[in-house]
Amino acid sequence: MKIHIFESADQSGLEAARESARIINEAIAVNGTARIVLSTGASQFEFLEHVVKMDIAWEKVEMFHLDEYIGLPVEHPASFRKYLKERFLQHVNIGTYWLVDGEGDTSEVLDHLNREISKAPVDLALIGIGENAHIAFNDPPADFEDERPFKVVDLSDTCKMQQVGEGWFATMEDVPKQAISMSVQQILKSRNIISVVPRQSKARAIQDTLKNEVDVNTPATIMKTHANWSLYLDKQSSSLIYAWC
């Protein structure tokens, strides 16, 4: 595990984008292509703003993303497909991308995604950490054993509260009850994992992730078992680390 702490969310996002570009370009040089997984949410704003400006042969990149609400229209402000189209896809000439269709037939969507992502290893996964330490939509207690690449999950109240707090929904009742999410095991299969986690609202989750033993009740702790995990923080999200170091 490598921990990088910067003064601001913008600087943290920039440095994570630079390291991501290095990993992607290295994969392209070796294999001719690179496969990546992207996160969404407010924590990824700065990272995405910078990474789309990096010198990367995007036409040689294949992109997956982590999750999507079931039944939420793509036009909804909280749709992760809408998010990625506006903040990433319209800015780069991506070779291939696979968006999680939460409006389609769930079984067919899962079959398709699981088949495609299993064709080759993922070179780089950008994995955010939620306020309850969830990764993707694997809320605590998370299933660390499920081998399915993507699956249907139920969203916890804590997770829903985060979505409301970030302004994606007006009330908890507006947040869908379920989502399609990448599994923990699929995340861990990635060759490299970078977690960009800025802002004060994530400080407790970061403290718990670093302090606690690997535990299903703090899902992000499982990433400490990965050989190539890098954590990019800002001054705010790292503020509680020194309370126990």
Side-chain angles (χ1 to χ4, degrees), residues 148-164:
R148 293 174 294 175
F150 285 90
K151 60 181 183 176
V152 174
V153 296
D154 297 323
L155 303 185
S156 70
D157 286 346
T158 306
C159 177
K160 293 177 185 177
M161 287 175 62
Q162 176 181 330
Q163 310 310 315
V164 174

Side-chain angles (χ1 to χ4, degrees), residues 73-143:
V74 67
E75 298 83 8
H76 191 285
S79 165
F80 296 141
R81 288 168 291 163
K82 175 181 174 65
Y83 177 111
L84 286 170
K85 287 178 180 180
E86 293 178 349
R87 296 183 177 274
F88 180 73
L89 292 174
Q90 72 176 16
H91 301 286
V92 299
N93 181 30
I94 197 79
T96 308
Y97 62 92
W98 308 96
L99 297 180
V100 181
D101 183 5
E103 298 179 87
D105 179 280
T106 302
S107 295
E108 292 182 3
V109 170
L110 288 173
D111 287 344
H112 183 66
L113 288 171
N114 291 345
R115 182 170 59 253
E116 292 300 331
I117 202 165
S118 299
K119 287 182 176 179
V122 169
D123 297 294
L124 172 64
L126 277 297
I127 308 297
I129 296 175
E131 291 177 13
N132 63 355
H134 70 235
I135 52 177
F137 268 141
N138 297 288
D139 283 322
D143 188 337

